[in-house]
Amino acid sequence: MTTEIRLADYLNAKDADALSMLLNAYATDPMGGGEPLSPEVQKSLASKLAEIDGAFSVLAWVDNKPAGLINCFMAFSTFKCKPIVNIHDVAVMSEFRGLGLSRLMMAKVEEIARERGCCKLTLEVLEGNTLAQAAYRNYGFSGYELDETNGKALFWEMPLS
């Protein structure tokens, strides 16, 4: 078994296809919402990501098959006055789970973040996704709080349709 972990090239057709396939597989999983991506999103995902400053993706390949994905976006900590990497999507195809791919991809993201002078990595995880929570804790992530009297930070959204 050959494993390769590397940055995606959004302008490379093989990487673009892998990115779309992996994200669609994640989207159709219950932890990704259970609905496939629209055909338009699948078609234009890589080209749209290529237009976003600070976007990058890490792909995992096993025996030249797309096996995993982490999509990231640069952000900024005003309290530290340093950049941050926000991990937006983490996905491993079901047939490749248990091989440590998420840990290998996370290590690549951490390497990139350190090269860019980032002060931290951030991500969100569903309360019910205990398997992912355990993997993130094992890697070094924890809930964010300034002090325990005010509790942990919550991730909220307001759709703009």
Side-chain angles (χ1 to χ4, degrees), residues 41-80:
V41 169
Q42 290 182 55
K43 178 182 169 197
S44 62
L45 179 63
S47 63
K48 292 293 187 182
L49 284 169
E51 296 173 4
I52 298 173
D53 287 336
F56 68 93
S57 301
V58 171
L59 294 172
W61 301 84
V62 174
D63 294 332
N64 291 316
K65 295 178 190 168
L69 162 73
I70 297 182
N71 287 321
C72 302
F73 299 91
M74 297 299 296
F76 190 76
S77 168
T78 54
F79 281 20
K80 299 283 185 180

Side-chain angles (χ1 to χ4, degrees), residues 18-19 35 67 74 99 112-113 158:
L19 182 72
E35 297 287 329
M74 297 299 296
L99 301 177
I112 293 164
M158 184 184 88

Side-chain angles (χ1 to χ4, degrees), residues 120 123-125 142-147 150-156:
K120 66 180 172 179
L123 57 75
E124 63 246 24
V125 60
S142 61
Y144 171 74
E145 64 185 7
L146 293 173
D147 71 61
N150 289 317
K152 291 193 175 11
L154 302 176
F155 182 77
W156 289 18

Side-chain angles (χ1 to χ4, degrees), residues 11 53 115 128 132 137:
L11 303 179
D53 287 336
E115 288 170 358
R137 274 192 203 93

Side-chain angles (χ1 to χ4, degrees), residues 12-156:
N12 174 290
K14 181 180 174 183
D15 285 5
D17 289 346
L19 182 72
S20 178
M21 184 276 292
L22 289 162
L23 192 64
N24 189 59
Y26 174 48
T28 59
D29 186 271
M31 291 303 166
E35 297 287 329
L37 301 173
S38 74
E40 178 56 34
V41 169
Q42 290 182 55
K43 178 182 169 197
S44 62
L45 179 63
S47 63
K48 292 293 187 182
L49 284 169
E51 296 173 4
I52 298 173
D53 287 336
F56 68 93
S57 301
V58 171
L59 294 172
W61 301 84
V62 174
D63 294 332
N64 291 316
K65 295 178 190 168
L69 162 73
I70 297 182
N71 287 321
C72 302
F73 299 91
M74 297 299 296
F76 190 76
S77 168
T78 54
F79 281 20
K80 299 283 185 180
C81 201
K82 290 186 176 186
I84 294 170
V85 169
N86 176 258
I87 297 167
H88 192 69
D89 304 300
V90 178
V92 175
M93 296 295 288
S94 58
E95 66 261 36
F96 298 109
R97 291 181 185 155
L99 301 177
L101 295 179
S102 64
R103 184 175 253 310
L104 293 170
M105 291 188 298
M106 201 66 76
K108 183 68 174 173
V109 171
E110 181 182 356
E111 174 188 319
I112 293 164
R114 289 183 185 282
E115 288 170 358
R116 295 181 181 191
C118 295
C119 63
K120 66 180 172 179
L121 303 175
T122 62
L123 57 75
E124 63 246 24
V125 60
L126 295 173
E127 284 180 290
N129 195 344
T130 55
L131 192 61
Q133 287 180 40
Y136 299 149
R137 274 192 203 93
N138 193 27
Y139 195 80
F141 286 88
S142 61
Y144 171 74
E145 64 185 7
L146 293 173
D147 71 61
E148 58 185 59
T149 59
N150 289 317
K152 291 193 175 11
L154 302 176
F155 182 77
W156 289 18

